Amino acid sequence: MTPATTPRPEGGEVTLTLDEVAGQSLARGAVGDALLHVERAWTGSGSWTTAQGHIRRVVAGPVDAADHAGLYYGAPAVAFLLHAAADRHPRYRAASQTMDEHVLRLTRRRLATAATRIDHGEPAAFAEYDLFYGLTGIGALLLRHHPGSDELAAILRYVITLVTQPRHEDGIELPGWWVAHDPDEILPTPGGHANFGMAHGAAGLLAFLSLATRHGRVVDGQRDAIAVLTAWFDRWRQDGPWWPQWITREELSAGRPDHAHPGRTAWCYGTVGIARAQQLAALATDDVHRQDAAEDALAATLADPQLDRITEPGLCHGIAGIYQTAYRAALDARSPALARRLPALADRLAERTPSLGDEDGAPANASGLLTGRAGADLALETARRSTPPHTGWDACLLIT
């Protein structure tokens, strides 16, 4: 395997072709497709020959370990894939260890950049802290494969700082994960926003801290940070229950969202991901009341007729992500209500997935984990076997 590349000292990055970039993408490229075939090889529904062919395509060229790399792209994404196959093939174990060295160096650089930003009093950005490309995503990888590392402890301390040290602008107190940019280029948020979702916001931060706590990886202030985040969700809980996707500065000042109904229902945004994050927090802190409330909120969402409007099969915005999140939540639930919802969700997932086309003739936008066929098929593997994924691939969703 070609060694991972690192930034030049002056901050310039190596130039990669579009094919190389797609090859290193867990979100929309070859890493997600390879992960599906590794999971199938482990379970016997596919072959290791096929899985190895997909892995070879991922690692055929230089692997990007520059500072824009994160769990869903570049060295961390490739490391996540290699670890999924490492227990079966020693050659992947050695390769994953080499890749991990690059990830750990990347982590230290990313933490130093974040510390400088904090010292200068500037707002954060998704790319600094989020699950897809930020430190939370890298932390999820380290929690799984390097739980005792100094780098993971440093990421935990960084997230705690982000959560427990609010920012002040123009006399207004803003949460530490407040960003000055818009959540989407077509959805402006003048003055910035605070994101609630699992992919880019407070739910992802809460899930990460809670999972680390459940795995016994705790640093000073971690439980305080969990309490800050659960209080945030309590403050913004709307009757239903539901939570905003994000709030603007005007909504923060008013103390309420400016819309009376929830937005999307999905893993990335909405009650599904938020409820799982709160359930994980409850399990980490032995809060039975919060656990019951989170499970009730998720069960109500899964029974809502609005779910019928979701036609997309994928993980990020569609039924696959809802199913996989509900499956993991059901395993931890105190009552069978969530488990009873799974068969209907599985049927809906099986109905929706063919819309992406078959693997050989799928359209270009059907590749990868988040919105493509690989993610939907991975969730289908869970549904068909009714057992947790062998590879633990859904750790990249912060739901386990």
Side-chain angles (χ1 to χ4, degrees), residues 376-397:
D377 278 349
L378 279 164
L380 276 174
E381 287 288 316
T382 301
R384 289 167 181 157
R385 299 181 61 82
S386 296
T387 57
H390 187 98
T391 58
W393 65 264
D394 51 352
C396 71
L397 301 178

Side-chain angles (χ1 to χ4, degrees), residues 88-108:
R88 177 64 180 263
H89 291 281
R91 76 169 106 171
Y92 296 133
R93 191 176 308 132
S96 67
Q97 290 169 354
T98 298
M99 197 59 57
D100 285 350
E101 294 173 4
H102 292 284
V103 172
L104 292 172
R105 285 197 287 270
L106 166 66
T107 303
R108 293 190 289 271

Side-chain angles (χ1 to χ4, degrees), residues 71 131 136-137 139-144 147 152 156 159 198 202-219 222-223 226 229 267 273 276-285 328-329 332 392 394-400:
L71 179 58
L131 173 62
T136 300
L141 174 66
L142 298 184
L143 180 60
R144 188 167 178 81
L152 175 60
L156 288 168
V159 173
M198 189 72 95
L205 300 172
L206 180 59
F208 172 60
L209 293 175
S210 300
L211 287 166
T213 302
R214 293 190 75 193
H215 285 86
R217 195 65 175 109
V218 179
V219 300
Q222 194 158 315
R223 289 183 178 272
I226 290 173
L229 287 165
W267 160 79
R276 176 55 173 164
Q278 293 207 66
Q279 183 195 37
L280 289 170
L283 291 165
T285 59
R328 285 294 188 177
D332 291 324
D394 51 352
C396 71
L397 301 178
L398 280 177
I399 57 176
T400 184

Side-chain angles (χ1 to χ4, degrees), residues 19 42 70 109 163 190 204 225 252 261 281 357 361:
D19 285 344
W42 272 115
R109 296 197 308 271
V163 169
L252 181 66
H261 303 286

